Amino acid sequence: MKREILDALQAARAEHKTVALVTDLASGAQTLVVDGAATGDVAVDPALQGAIDEALRHNRSRTAADGTLFIQAFVPPLRLAIVGAVHIAQALAPIAALAGYDVTVIDPRRAFASDERFPGVKVSTEWPDDGLSALKPDGRTAVVTLTHDPKLDDPALDVALKSPAFYIAALGSRKTHAGRVERLTALGHGANALARIHGPAGLALGAVSPAEIAISVMAQMTAVLHGAEPHGKAPA
C-alpha cells in the first residue's frame, strides 16, 4: 500500500468517514474512495461504484469485476445520542446497544443522568448542544430527543440538523412538533432540513409504555438506516 493511500485511509477513519479501499488483485494497484470521492490507480466506473455502494451499505467487503478487484469496506460504527435521561431512554439505551449502537445519553440534570440509572452506558451531563457537538455526529449517527423541554431538545436538534446524522427524531405530539418547527425555523433551518426530523418519534405501533415507545423508535431508526419504507409514524 502506498504511503499516501495509508495516510488518507487513517485520516478518513479518524474523521468517521465512510471509506472503501479497492485493490486490483493482479497488479496490486489501489484506489481509495472516501465519501464518494475516488483517489488512486484503479478507475471507478459505474459498475464498480455500484459494487462499492453495496459493500458499504451492508458493511461487508466483497469482490467485483469477476473477482479481479477486492473492495474492503470501512464503515464508521453506529452511534446513538439520546437527549434526555428519562424512562424511555432507560429502555432505548440497552435495546440500541443490543443492535450494535454505541450509545451516549446526554442530560445536564444530574439527578436523571446518573450511572445508577444507566449502568454500562456513556452519560454526558453537558448541555445538549455542547454534548452533541463533542460527539461530532456523522452519517452513522442517530439523534433522539426525549425531554419535551425546548430548552434541552431544541439546542440538540439545532446541532443535529447541521450534521449528516442519518436519523433525527423528537418525542412529542404533532402540536408540540409544530411549535418545535417554528422555533427551529427562527434559528435559520429551512423546510428541507426540518423535514429530516421524525416527529413524533417512532413508528405507529400503538406503543404506550416506555419500553414499547423505545421499540417503536428503534424500529423506525432501523428502517431509516436500511432505507426501508416505514409503515407509519407514531400517533400524536
Side-chain angles (χ1 to χ4, degrees), residues 93-211:
I95 293 172
L98 283 172
Y101 286 78
D102 183 0
V103 181
T104 300
V105 175
I106 304 171
D107 197 322
R109 302 171 297 182
R110 295 179 183 273
F112 293 93
S114 67
D115 293 336
E116 292 74 21
R117 284 168 55 81
F118 293 92
V121 178
K122 296 176 185 175
V123 175
S124 169
T125 55
E126 294 186 89
W127 202 255
D129 51 348
D130 293 330
L132 193 56
S133 294
L135 288 177
K136 297 180 180 179
D138 55 34
R140 297 270 289 176
T141 304
V143 179
V144 179
T145 66
L146 301 175
T147 74
H148 289 285
D149 186 343
K151 296 191 300 297
L152 299 176
D153 287 352
D154 288 5
L157 292 170
D158 182 36
V159 172
L161 289 172
K162 295 173 183 176
S163 79
F166 79 88
Y167 177 77
I168 303 172
L171 201 65
S173 67
R174 288 188 174 87
K175 180 178 180 180
T176 297
H177 187 62
R180 179 185 296 130
V181 167
E182 288 183 6
R183 294 189 302 272
L184 291 170
T185 299
L187 291 177
H189 296 286
N192 289 338
L194 293 169
R196 296 174 61 198
I197 304 175
H198 295 268
L203 296 183
L205 305 180
V208 176
S209 70

Side-chain angles (χ1 to χ4, degrees), residues 189-231:
H189 296 286
N192 289 338
L194 293 169
R196 296 174 61 198
I197 304 175
H198 295 268
L203 296 183
L205 305 180
V208 176
S209 70
E212 290 174 340
I213 294 171
I215 289 170
S216 77
V217 172
M218 192 70 228
Q220 187 178 59
M221 190 189 313
T222 303
V224 173
L225 174 66
H226 295 296
E229 184 66 30
H231 295 294

Side-chain angles (χ1 to χ4, degrees), residues 51-64:
I52 291 171
D53 291 343
E54 182 177 352
L56 294 175
R57 182 166 56 251
H58 297 289
N59 192 17
R60 186 178 302 158
S61 298
R62 55 162 293 179
T63 58

Side-chain angles (χ1 to χ4, degrees), residues 18 22 47 54 69 75 78 141 180 183 206:
T18 299
V22 182
E54 182 177 352
L69 301 176
V75 178
L78 288 167
T141 304
R180 179 185 296 130
R183 294 189 302 272

